[in-house]
Amino acid sequence: MNRREALSSIAAVSAAGIVPAEAAKAKVQPFIYSLNMSTLRGQKLGFRKELEVAAKAGYGSVEIWVSTLQDYLKGGGTLQEAKRIIGDLGLKVEDAIGFATWIVDDETARAKALDQLKGEMEQLAAIGCPRIAAPPMGATTGASLDLARVAERYRAILELGDKTGVVPHLELWGFSKNLSRVGEILYVAVESGHPSARLLMDVYHLHKGGSGMEAIKDVGKPLIEIFHVNDYPKTPPRESITDADRVYVGDGIAPWKDVIQSLKNPDKPIILSFEVFNKDYWAQDALQVAKTSLAKMKKIVEGVA
């Protein structure tokens, strides 16, 4: 082989390595679409059927409910079988919704909640789920908690996450006495002093709690991996609107262009997970609801991202 042929061969090999990498980079999408199973909760499908509906609708990612997984296990299913079902359907479980009262002042109740959460995390790790929601369950009414103490408690469950491989994401609940505002969850996350601290926000809860969509910009992009999407109608007003009033993305008055731009992260795709508790949707065919939710999310993103 002469010098010219050698140089041509090197160039060909280099090009073969570069072009696919560039092509792969070009195909990276800014958002991943997920279905939160609250959306199908009223149809009472059960763990396996919920997953089948999501996959058939075109979803590649889902958020499950811990209680639904545990009902499946109580009915004779195993974690190994659950993981196989998820894999066979081509799905990824991005997050799980649980309600352990990790935040409360009562030490006995909190200790019990940490045991509960540890067990849930171990189950989720076994099926390949890397996250669990950590809402202010148990502190939605009553006294206002000391946020410095809440930060310590959040760190404690983040340390459980270190051991189990499942990271608790601090969840905003707009109707709650505690952790209803972005400033509160941001303070707790930062003051926890833990590198795995992450925030889980929701279009409806940002509206309900009064933080508004502009508050998304106040949260550093590294703190957001998954974001709950839905929409809220003009009526009822913010003060009286409830979980059940959430509607499909684009069917309400949320400023979606601003939301998408605020969430978009050049360093990683953000998981948009559709979550509603709409009784009208629960009365409809589950597959149609799942397909509609995915189509409406994609439509919103196409015009912006």
Side-chain angles (χ1 to χ4, degrees):
M1 181 180 291
N2 62 34
R3 184 171 179 274
R4 179 177 293 177
E5 290 172 333
L7 290 173
S8 296
S9 296
I10 292 171
V13 171
S14 298
I18 292 171
V19 172
E22 290 177 347
K25 185 176 180 181
K27 292 179 181 178
V28 173
Q29 298 299 314
F31 297 103
I32 294 169
Y33 302 102
S34 172
L35 180 65
N36 184 306
M37 293 309 179
S38 66
T39 305
L40 308 179
R41 196 160 179 78
Q43 284 90 340
K44 303 185 186 301
L45 302 176
F47 180 74
R48 182 172 193 147
K49 185 64 175 176
E50 285 181 349
L51 295 174
E52 290 173 349
V53 168
K56 192 171 182 179
Y59 279 99
S61 293
V62 294
E63 278 187 289
I64 64 171
W65 280 47
V66 171
S67 59
T68 304
L69 172 62
Q70 292 181 340
D71 286 344
Y72 169 77
L73 298 175
K74 291 174 186 176
T78 67
L79 291 170
Q80 293 78 11
E81 290 170 349
K83 185 175 182 179
R84 178 183 56 76
I85 292 167
I86 293 163
D88 288 348
L89 291 170
L91 293 172
K92 182 177 180 181
V93 179
E94 302 285 3
D95 186 31
I97 306 303
F99 300 103
T101 57
W102 62 273
I103 195 173
V104 297
D105 279 335
D106 185 282
E107 290 187 14
T108 301
R110 196 167 67 252
K112 184 177 179 180
L114 263 61
D115 286 340
Q116 173 190 334
L117 190 54
K118 181 175 181 291
E120 293 173 350
M121 287 177 166
E122 289 171 346
Q123 290 177 331
L124 294 172
I127 65 169
C129 175
R131 306 174 185 88
I132 186 169
M137 189 69 181
T140 59
T141 59
S144 295
L145 300 181
D146 180 341
L147 290 181
R149 294 286 181 87
V150 174
E152 294 172 0
R153 294 164 192 173
Y154 182 45
R155 183 181 178 89
I157 64 173
L158 284 165
E159 290 172 350
L160 284 181
D162 291 338
K163 297 175 182 177
T164 61
V166 177
V167 179
H169 285 223
L170 190 66
E171 186 171 13
L172 178 81
W173 272 4
F175 63 85
S176 177
K177 177 76 171 184
N178 295 281
L179 304 191
S180 65
R181 305 276 299 186
V182 168
E184 293 174 325
I185 60 171
L186 189 55
Y187 175 90
V188 170
V190 172
E191 290 301 313
S192 72
H194 196 288
S196 295
R198 296 292 184 274
L199 301 183
L200 177 55
M201 297 181 290
D202 179 299
V203 169
Y204 162 78
H205 285 299
L206 286 166
H207 172 63
K208 176 65 178 177
S211 292
M213 304 308 124
E214 284 293 311
I216 299 171
K217 298 176 183 177
D218 297 327
V219 178
K221 291 186 184 295
L223 290 177
I224 304 174
E225 294 180 2
I226 185 168
F227 187 86
H228 285 166
V229 300
N230 38 62
D231 216 326
Y232 49 89
K234 187 174 182 179
T235 56
R238 182 179 69 80
E239 293 75 15
S240 57
I241 198 169
T242 69
D243 283 352
D245 293 313
R246 299 185 223 190
V247 294
Y248 288 123
V249 174
D251 285 6
I253 60 171
W256 273 103
K257 181 177 180 180
D258 294 339
V259 171
I260 294 300
Q261 291 289 12
S262 296
L263 287 172
K264 191 175 179 181
N265 187 339
D267 297 325
K268 64 183 178 184
I270 300 299
I271 302 159
L272 300 179
S273 191
F274 184 75
E275 181 190 54
V276 296
F277 296 79
N278 192 302
K279 293 180 180 179
D280 289 338
Y281 300 170
W282 286 350
Q284 299 170 19
D285 176 70
L287 180 58
Q288 186 58 47
V289 171
K291 285 182 175 179
T292 302
S293 64
L294 181 58
K296 285 181 175 288
M297 279 199 290
K298 287 183 175 180
K299 183 177 180 181
I300 289 295
V301 170
E302 283 173 3
V304 182

